[in-house]
């Protein structure tokens, strides 16, 4: 059953990754580099988790309560920064990183590696109480479906935002690059934190609200994706 859990846990990440890669079918990136970005994203979850644990420890007794706005924002920010470094370390010296849209492609690819690890642990945790095969499989399918339209989609969108501002920064030169990248990470962390807040507030009984929020964000992210594709073809 462990193998089944892992395989099914990977489906949301690979499904969304294929969707975005098909959007860049005219100038596809090398599979080796995409695989490296995915693995880097998966590996850096360990770093992100360690930093999140450190943040929880540092703020214990300071009045920063779990699930408060500052808590949600910082925890989300840690993940967004981690995913950026996963993508950056993958492509920083690559000659294939040569189009504006590539920033979004590699950010989303790294994000899907990150989300894959999260999904494995989340789905494993959700299915742990079930011993019967039918109940176990039902729990796997239910949790995977929720994460497909929830956390995994969120990671594509938040990292897409970072990728968009990363691309804009590179196009405008070193002077503007850091500021735009920082703005992108802050915006992504805000989106990430708002989604987590909605999940906590409404829980599964009203999952429609977090989903509507992601649909609205997706509209802007896909629009940014198209802008970068056009700028690269000019």
């Amino acid at each position: 059953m462990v193998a089944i859990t892992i395989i099914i846990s990977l489906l949301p990440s690979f499904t969304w990754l294929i969707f975005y890669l098909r959007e860049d079918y005219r100038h596809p990136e090398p599979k080796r580099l995409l695989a490296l970005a995915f693995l880097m994203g998966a590996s850096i979850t360990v770093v992100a988790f360690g930093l999140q644990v450190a943040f929880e420890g540092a703020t214990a007794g300071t009045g920063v309560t779990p699930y408060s706005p500052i808590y949600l924002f910082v925890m989300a920010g840690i993940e967004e920064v981690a995913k950026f470094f996963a993508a950056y370390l993958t492509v920083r010296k690559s000659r294939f990183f040569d189009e504006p849209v590539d920033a979004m492609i590699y950010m989303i690819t790294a994000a899907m590696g990150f989300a894959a690890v999260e999904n494995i642990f989340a789905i494993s945790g959700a299915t742990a109480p079930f011993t019967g095969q039918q109940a176990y499989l039902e729990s796997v399918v239910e949790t995977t479906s929720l994460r497909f339209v929830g956390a995994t989609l969120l990671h594509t969108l938040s990292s897409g935002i970072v990728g968009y501002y990363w691309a804009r920064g590179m196009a405008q030169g070193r002077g503007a690059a850091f500021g735009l990248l920082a703005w992108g990470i802050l915006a992504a962390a805000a989106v990430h934190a708002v989604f987590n807040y909605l999940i906590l507030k409404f829980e599964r009984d009203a999952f429609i609200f977090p989903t509507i929020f992601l649909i609205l964000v997706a509209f802007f992210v896909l629009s940014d994706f198209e802008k970068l594709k056009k700028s690269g073809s000019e």
Side-chain angles (χ1 to χ4, degrees):
M1 287 189 179
V2 175
I4 294 175
T5 301
I6 293 174
I7 292 171
I8 295 178
S9 299
L10 293 174
L11 289 179
S13 289
F14 284 128
T15 302
W16 283 119
L17 183 56
I18 291 170
F19 170 80
Y20 282 99
L21 292 181
R22 284 177 63 87
E23 290 292 302
D24 191 38
Y25 70 93
R26 292 183 179 178
H27 304 94
E29 299 303 305
K31 292 182 174 61
R32 177 189 62 81
L33 205 57
L34 291 171
L36 180 59
F38 187 93
L39 292 174
M40 286 289 287
S43 300
I44 212 161
T45 55
V46 178
V47 178
F49 178 72
L51 291 173
Q52 288 174 327
V53 171
F55 172 72
E56 286 186 325
T59 56
T62 64
V64 178
T65 59
Y67 313 124
S68 64
I70 185 63
Y71 177 93
L72 292 173
F73 183 80
V74 173
M75 295 292 272
I78 289 171
E79 295 190 8
E80 298 310 325
V81 171
K83 290 183 290 178
F84 166 72
F85 275 107
Y88 174 75
L89 293 174
T90 300
V91 301
R92 63 192 177 97
K93 294 183 178 180
S94 174
R95 61 186 176 87
F96 296 105
F97 190 59
D98 56 358
E99 293 181 297
V101 74
D102 291 350
M104 290 186 76
I105 290 292
Y106 285 106
M107 277 300 311
I108 291 170
T109 303
M112 290 302 88
F114 193 100
V117 175
E118 279 193 344
N119 288 344
I120 290 171
F121 282 99
I123 294 170
S124 297
T127 57
F130 299 100
T131 55
Q133 185 173 3
Q134 182 175 348
Y136 173 86
L137 291 175
E138 288 176 354
S139 179
V140 168
V141 172
E142 178 187 4
T143 307
T144 302
S145 300
L146 288 172
R147 292 192 68 82
F148 175 78
V149 296
T152 309
L153 174 57
L154 167 69
H155 278 300
T156 73
L157 299 176
S158 60
S159 290
I161 292 171
V162 175
Y164 175 71
Y165 282 97
W166 183 15
R168 283 187 56 190
M170 290 188 297
Q172 294 187 25
R174 182 169 296 182
F178 180 80
L180 283 169
L181 176 60
W183 176 251
I185 290 174
L186 289 173
V191 167
H192 196 144
V194 169
F195 174 82
N196 286 344
Y197 170 78
L198 292 174
I199 287 291
L200 292 168
K201 181 175 178 62
F202 296 106
E203 299 182 345
R204 290 189 178 186
D205 293 336
F207 195 73
I208 185 66
F209 295 108
T211 302
I212 291 174
F213 173 70
L214 289 185
I215 291 173
L216 292 173
V217 175
F219 174 81
F220 293 101
V221 172
L222 291 175
S223 176
D224 291 341
F225 198 89
E226 292 301 319
K227 290 177 186 176
L228 292 185
K229 284 169 63 177
K230 290 178 181 178
S231 66
S233 63
E234 292 176 353

